[in-house]
Amino acid sequence: MLGEDIYAFRSELQKRDALFAYTGFVSEDLLYALGTAVKQQLELKKTEGKVVRRVFSVFVEQVQNVIRYSGEQEWLTEPKTARLSAGVIVLGQDDNRFFVICGNAVTNEEADGLKTRLESISGMDGEALRKHYRTKLREDPDPHSEGATIGLLEIARRVTQPLEYDFLELDENRSFFVLKAYI
């Protein structure tokens, strides 16, 4: 029974074109290890260097978003300097394109803000995206941001088709956010 279940799980991942999948807690240390696994997968596929850099960049941005903004976090130290954040990470390939999917819980308030930002980004063409990115680089980051508030823009600049995203409402306070980026 265990063998059938795990084999069925593996087959489902293969059916969905996953080359690599992870679910559970992630940290900055684990990001480094997962990044190495991603590079190795791309090397096995004999992927062009330019594509490797784009896939790796999108992968790092997405995993950092999980680490920084997942609604399911545990702190390892006091004071709070090292944390584990729960999420799902998938690297896959279909039709000669790579994709990176990340998902994590967020508050419904954060989901509303993400929807607004993603809708705005989705409406921009390449030139508008470049101008908006340059503008955001000169601005102070959002008060709740742990980065420069440009992670989604960094991802959008590197994708080969519009970002796909979805929010699954978990309860009255939380939603599960998923972002898929094709490179």
Side-chain angles (χ1 to χ4, degrees):
M1 192 67 156
L2 179 62
E4 286 179 24
D5 290 346
I6 297 303
Y7 188 79
F9 177 68
R10 177 181 174 227
S11 297
E12 181 64 25
L13 289 173
Q14 289 175 329
K15 189 173 90 182
R16 294 176 179 264
D17 302 312
L19 300 172
F20 170 90
Y22 175 86
T23 182
F25 284 109
V26 291
S27 64
E28 293 290 338
D29 290 339
L30 189 55
L31 170 58
Y32 181 81
L34 295 175
T36 300
V38 167
K39 284 182 180 176
Q40 290 170 339
Q41 286 284 337
L42 298 173
E43 284 176 23
L44 283 173
K45 297 279 183 189
K46 301 190 182 325
T47 307
E48 181 184 348
K50 179 176 76 176
V51 176
V52 170
R53 287 187 293 279
R54 293 175 80 170
V55 170
F56 186 74
S57 177
V58 168
F59 175 82
V60 168
E61 285 292 339
Q62 289 216 52
V63 176
Q64 284 180 333
N65 284 340
V66 171
I67 293 169
R68 293 176 179 166
Y69 305 112
S70 173
E72 299 169 314
Q73 296 185 346
E74 298 290 336
W75 290 92
L76 297 172
T77 59
E78 197 60 50
K80 295 179 177 178
T81 55
R83 65 181 153 201
L84 296 171
S85 303
V88 174
I89 302 157
V90 179
L91 168 70
Q93 183 180 25
D94 66 3
D95 298 330
N96 294 321
R97 301 171 305 171
F98 289 97
F99 61 84
V100 178
I101 301 171
C102 282
N104 58 275
V106 295
T107 66
N108 287 338
E109 183 180 336
E110 291 167 330
D112 291 341
L114 278 168
K115 282 179 199 169
T116 301
R117 290 177 59 202
L118 286 164
E119 286 170 2
S120 172
I121 289 170
S122 295
M124 295 180 193
D125 63 14
E127 183 58 29
L129 194 57
R130 269 189 295 282
K131 285 181 181 176
H132 186 61
Y133 178 77
R134 289 185 191 134
T135 300
K136 294 300 280 183
L137 283 176
R138 289 189 290 269
E139 294 177 352
D140 290 332
D142 291 343
H144 62 281
S145 175
E146 293 187 35
T149 318
I150 57 171
L152 291 175
L153 291 171
E154 289 278 1
I155 295 167
R157 293 177 62 223
R158 288 175 171 75
V159 297
T160 55
Q161 68 181 62
L163 293 170
E164 295 178 25
Y165 55 92
D166 197 13
F167 296 88
L168 173 66
E169 190 170 311
L170 301 174
D171 56 41
E172 70 270 4
N173 299 316
R174 298 176 313 135
S175 292
F176 194 78
F177 167 57
V178 177
L179 181 65
K180 184 174 187 179
Y182 277 100
I183 303 102

